[in-house]
Amino acid sequence: MPAVTVENPLTLPRVAAPADAVARPVLGVTTAPSGFEGEGFPVRRAFAGINYRHLDPFIMMDQMGEVEYAPGEPKGTPWHPHRGFETVTYIIDGTFDHQDSHGGGGTITNGDTQWMTAGSGLLHIEAPPESLVVSGGLFHGIQLWVNLPAKDKMMAPRYQDIRGGQVQLLTTPDGGALLRVIAGELDGHKGPGITHTPITLVHATVAPGAEITLPWREDFNALAYVLAGRGTVGTQRRPIHLGQTAVFGAGSSLTIRADEKQDSHTPDLEVVLLGGQPIREPMVHYGPFVMNTREELQQAFEDFQKGRLGTIPAVHGMTESGPQGA
């Protein structure tokens, strides 16, 4: 799991919750069901079964892979529309191409992130490059959907290409964890991602036996999803492992600990930490559209069907195959 790493974490800025921080309790731990997205790549639905009031402003998150593809197996998604939210694609292993009808696009690999603000609407496609399809290989990443408030739902689309080298790297006082701040901030250290809805997105690698207690904004919610390995969450040390999400309650710090013994295929506990300021507006979500009312949802489908969300670049010679969920 390369993402972005350093030889000696103790060379990095260190963060820790203050002694008087209020520990966030763990409200629950859920297990993500497995499924398939797009043209057939395997995903874990990280937020399935979690009440939206604990997720807001996040809508869904898929762990894509981890999977070792044979030659000819890598798959992506066909062209599909989006409106009303932002998609964040973070690639840990492997390579993914993106293109959208608003002119955004590029290739991301090992620690890179693509941040697409769909806003008023566009079409896009995500797929492995031809070289990966031919050769096969390891593929692993996440895609996160972040809601937009009503005032920003119909803003102009925007695309951010965040390279792994731009990510803010931090550690804990004992150097037992590598913290990659992709968006938002952690203890005043800002990540490169520009967000409309205030959020924090961190990929943490926690060494076996290490414990992290991080400051966390009290007006944010807090979620932890395990990409690999096993450990505990909260001061009560509730067990958690690959494919599980912890929901934290109110407080100003969160605690995660890696088990002394990890699974044979992963040396560390790998966790995505998420927090955001709840929007607290009505939300209706169907397929590729996230709006505030059913009428707006209907309008989004009508606009898509009438070609108002953009056109597929002619160079591809593809035809639209209908709305997708990715």
Side-chain angles (χ1 to χ4, degrees), residues 40-170:
F41 61 81
V43 298
R44 286 186 174 93
R45 307 287 191 193
F47 297 161
I50 300 175
N51 190 298
Y52 181 64
R53 66 189 173 90
H54 298 309
L55 299 177
D56 184 14
F58 307 110
I59 301 159
M60 58 158 275
M61 187 172 79
D62 284 345
Q63 180 181 9
M64 306 181 293
E66 184 177 2
V67 59
E68 183 78 42
Y69 280 121
E73 283 188 341
K75 296 176 175 67
T77 68
W79 282 93
H80 57 280
H82 284 308
R83 172 181 280 178
F85 65 102
E86 301 183 286
T87 67
V88 182
T89 306
Y90 172 54
I91 297 299
I92 300 164
D93 289 290
T95 307
F96 224 36
D97 288 337
H98 164 91
Q99 186 178 7
D100 66 52
S101 58
H102 200 255
T107 299
I108 51 174
T109 186
N110 300 350
D112 297 337
T113 301
Q114 290 177 337
W115 200 296
M116 186 185 78
T117 304
S120 59
L122 45 61
L123 308 177
H124 84 143
I125 188 170
E126 300 158 301
E130 187 61 30
S131 59
L132 181 62
V133 175
V134 170
S135 66
L138 190 61
F139 183 82
H140 190 200
I142 63 167
Q143 186 171 93
L144 172 70
W145 288 15
V146 185
N147 201 5
L148 288 170
K151 66 182 179 64
D152 294 327
K153 287 276 187 203
M154 298 299 285
M155 68 174 293
R158 183 179 67 182
Y159 182 80
Q160 298 176 68
D161 188 10
I162 303 169
R163 293 295 148 183
Q166 298 174 274
V167 169
Q168 174 71 64
L169 299 180
L170 307 169

Side-chain angles (χ1 to χ4, degrees), residues 284-305:
V284 289
H285 164 213
Y286 187 80
F289 306 123
V290 181
M291 306 304 293
N292 294 104
T293 68
R294 290 190 174 276
E295 291 74 23
E296 291 172 344
L297 204 59
Q298 178 111 19
Q299 185 64 53
F301 272 98
E302 182 181 321
D303 288 348
F304 165 63
Q305 290 162 352

Side-chain angles (χ1 to χ4, degrees), residues 6-15 170-179 205-208 210-212 268:
V6 293
E7 233 175 81
N8 181 9
L10 289 173
T11 61
L12 301 172
R14 306 179 197 187
V15 297
L170 307 169
T171 190
T172 46
D174 63 358
L178 176 60
L179 309 170
T205 299
V206 189
E211 182 174 280
I212 61 175
D268 304 299

